[in-house]
Amino acid sequence: MTDVKFIAAGVARARDAFVVIFGRHAFPSECLGVSIERVDGSVMDAEFEEVANPQGEVQRVINNCYTPTRKHLATYGNLYSISIPITEWKTVRHIRLTLNTSEAVPFYSRNVSLEYMTVFDESEFESFFTYQSRRNIDSFTTAIVARNNLERLGELQAVNPDMACYAINCFVILAYKAVELSDTSLLTYVREKLHDIRSMEALVPFGASIRQDPIQMQISLAMAMTHVHIHSNDVNAFKREAGRVVSAVRNQTPFRLTYGLNVSLAQVLLAVFDHYHGAGKEDDFHAVMDTLRRSVSADTDVAMQVRELQSVVANAYVAKLFVQSYRTGDVTPQTLAASLRDIAPRVNTEAFRKKMKSFLLG
């Protein structure tokens, strides 16, 4: 963003938007205006109040932003922290800030923005939500946007087939954020919405993009639910969903590189769980190594997808340790248990890792 006099950073919470205004110089707070553009196209002036708390909320997000963002915001003075009450997030499309009703106060970047809280079409999904680097970096804000879009897409019969992959994409993001936040209401929403979303898998057309691949959508959805069931300690549901991931690609040709991350994770989770619950088999761990080989052999034009091999390698490393323990017995139980730290889950928080380890060990 080119240098401007005033910029903003914001996060969403259940009933509020928290915003910090940064500026090159101070201005009277009564000059600040806030408006909300609704999904139906109407615009309303919004009430807000100056409060101290949002500064801490927003600052935590800024601290996690990319270095250029942090450095640029540090060149501004921190002028105002405001709270904007929100009755229903699902009606909100944009939050706008102005000075003296005319001068726009833009959000600094998408990573700290409260614009596009609801997106309307494929172009907006690609530009403002599908990719992690283009979303608000705050997990709860991202969860609200994901839920907004699921609400807007509505029931199966109302979904344009071209948008089905984005509905699944939103659901997967929301499921992971619900687990990361350990948010009971979001987790309940995910479980209630699963049937409708799973019905959309058949609508996804096959194309060049990973979001135009019914198999990719199927394994992404099943892996997200695998995490949900680990979080809730539901063994049967965990086995069912992880099994869906594995079976989806068992005889699949060609094998896309992007399959490897979820498939190797599902395989190693199932194999480790069975090992610690009296049903372990060496062949199950060999399957993870096979997935590594299939992933390395797959071709891609997207450099970012090659980076995902790091996670496949991490899962294969754990599997190889278990194979070694079966064959030679020279890997101690303590080493095997410690190796679970190297498994690469899709929710990489300390809290979830502890929960996952406890779940696998029984």
Side-chain angles (χ1 to χ4, degrees), residues 271-297:
V272 169
F273 183 90
D274 285 346
H275 173 85
Y276 285 109
H277 292 79
K281 298 193 296 280
E282 183 180 333
D283 284 349
D284 291 342
F285 291 101
H286 280 295
V288 188
M289 305 304 299
D290 289 338
T291 296
L292 173 60
R293 284 186 283 270
R294 294 176 78 185
S295 299
V296 171
S297 298

Side-chain angles (χ1 to χ4, degrees), residues 156-278:
L156 174 62
Q157 59 266 27
V159 176
N160 180 327
D162 292 335
M163 298 300 290
C165 60
Y166 294 104
I168 296 171
N169 182 213
C170 285
F171 181 89
V172 168
I173 292 168
L174 179 59
Y176 283 133
K177 293 305 179 184
V179 171
E180 177 186 334
L181 295 163
S182 196
D183 187 297
T184 302
S185 64
L186 290 177
L187 287 164
T188 299
Y189 179 89
V190 164
R191 294 188 188 95
E192 292 174 347
K193 198 72 176 176
L194 177 62
H195 176 75
D196 288 343
I197 297 300
R198 184 148 272 154
S199 299
M200 295 180 189
E201 290 176 345
L203 297 178
V204 178
F206 191 86
S209 165
I210 62 172
R211 265 164 287 280
Q212 294 176 312
D213 180 349
I215 293 173
Q216 185 71 55
M217 293 293 97
Q218 181 181 345
I219 64 176
S220 294
L221 179 54
M223 180 48 67
M225 291 309 300
T226 298
H227 284 67
V228 169
H229 297 314
I230 289 174
H231 182 274
S232 61
N233 205 38
D234 188 332
V235 172
N236 291 334
F238 154 74
K239 287 195 165 189
R240 182 178 64 249
E241 294 295 343
R244 282 179 185 266
V245 177
V246 176
S247 62
V249 300
R250 185 168 286 124
N251 299 311
Q252 175 60 26
T253 303
F255 185 93
R256 279 183 158 167
L257 189 154
T258 53
Y259 298 163
L261 190 158
N262 285 327
V263 174
S264 66
L265 177 56
Q267 289 170 324
V268 77
L269 289 173
L270 286 167
V272 169
F273 183 90
D274 285 346
H275 173 85
Y276 285 109
H277 292 79

Side-chain angles (χ1 to χ4, degrees), residues 69-128:
T69 298
R70 295 199 308 271
K71 287 184 175 180
H72 189 84
L73 290 176
T75 67
Y76 286 81
N78 184 329
L79 299 182
Y80 299 105
S81 297
I82 63 172
S83 173
I84 308 163
I86 303 293
T87 303
E88 285 190 294
W89 273 112
K90 67 181 180 180
T91 68
V92 176
R93 178 156 162 77
H94 303 294
I95 291 180
R96 310 284 195 194
L97 307 170
T98 57
L99 288 179
N100 297 317
T101 72
S102 60
E103 182 180 353
V105 180
F107 288 98
Y108 173 70
S109 73
R110 296 170 189 173
N111 298 144
V112 290
S113 178
L114 295 178
E115 291 190 298
Y116 293 96
M117 296 301 293
T118 305
V119 295
F120 277 2
D121 54 33
E122 295 173 68
S123 176
E124 289 185 359
F125 267 105
E126 295 289 329
S127 297
F128 300 102

Side-chain angles (χ1 to χ4, degrees), residues 57-71:
E57 292 277 355
V58 178
Q59 190 60 51
R60 279 192 287 275
V61 177
I62 293 171
N63 289 344
N64 290 324
C65 280
Y66 303 111
T67 301
T69 298
R70 295 199 308 271
K71 287 184 175 180

